[in-house]
Amino acid sequence: MQTLQYESSWDKTISNKDRKTIEDIFLETSLPNHSLIQFTPLWQAMNHKDELLVTVLVHNFSHQVCSFISKKLRYLENNEIIAEHTFTLPSLTVPPETSMPWTFIFPVESLKSHGSLENGRLVCFNAV
């Protein structure tokens, strides 16, 4: 059974409003079609450094821990690549059968074009 878990720094700092949004979206999560790792978009933004921030629920439907060491992610809008970056995030480990919110920060140099920051999705090229 899938559970929702927050990384400790998230758990301490997330607003009640954002926590409620994440919990509502988690409750709508369905079992995977074919992928053991899936991302449910929460929100996207640009920060003051013009980096792309993509916040998602990372769903690990597998029976093994998912770590983000040298994971290549793409952010797409309407099947157009907006950003692509290889992430090494030692602090992001998602236990088996667990969903966890996370913000992936795509550096300026990883941006391929400027998107609308609406209806985007993340794709991982080397999951689990």
Side-chain angles (χ1 to χ4, degrees), residues 1-127:
M1 173 134 171
Q2 200 73 9
T3 59
L4 177 62
Q5 180 177 313
Y6 295 89
E7 189 269 336
S8 63
S9 64
W10 273 73
D11 202 27
K12 294 174 189 170
T13 61
I14 192 165
S15 72
N16 288 334
K17 179 183 174 221
D18 287 346
R19 185 181 296 271
K20 172 87 170 95
T21 299
I22 289 167
E23 289 171 359
D24 289 346
I25 290 171
F26 170 76
L27 291 174
E28 296 172 8
T29 299
S30 58
L31 291 175
N33 307 358
H34 57 280
S35 178
L36 296 176
I37 302 298
Q38 290 184 7
F39 302 97
T40 299
L42 297 172
W43 48 81
Q44 300 82 224
M46 300 296 286
N47 69 12
H48 66 284
K49 298 182 200 174
D50 288 326
E51 297 168 318
L52 173 63
L53 285 62
V54 179
T55 304
V56 296
L57 262 179
V58 180
H59 305 287
N60 180 1
F61 293 110
S62 78
H63 298 292
Q64 55 186 303
V65 172
C66 174
S67 62
F68 281 79
I69 306 298
S70 297
K71 296 282 190 204
K72 184 178 178 181
L73 299 179
R74 281 185 181 159
Y75 173 71
L76 306 164
E77 290 179 359
N78 301 313
N79 291 322
E80 177 187 351
I81 300 170
I82 304 300
E84 181 176 275
H85 185 69
T86 300
F87 289 88
T88 295
L89 303 166
S91 60
L92 178 56
T93 56
V94 184
E97 299 177 334
T98 300
S99 298
M100 183 180 290
W102 193 264
T103 299
F104 292 94
I105 301 173
F106 288 84
V108 173
E109 59 273 10
S110 71
L111 302 179
K112 308 283 184 202
S113 66
H114 289 282
S116 64
L117 302 182
E118 295 178 10
N119 302 314
R121 63 188 176 98
L122 275 188
V123 178
C124 184
F125 287 92
N126 43 0

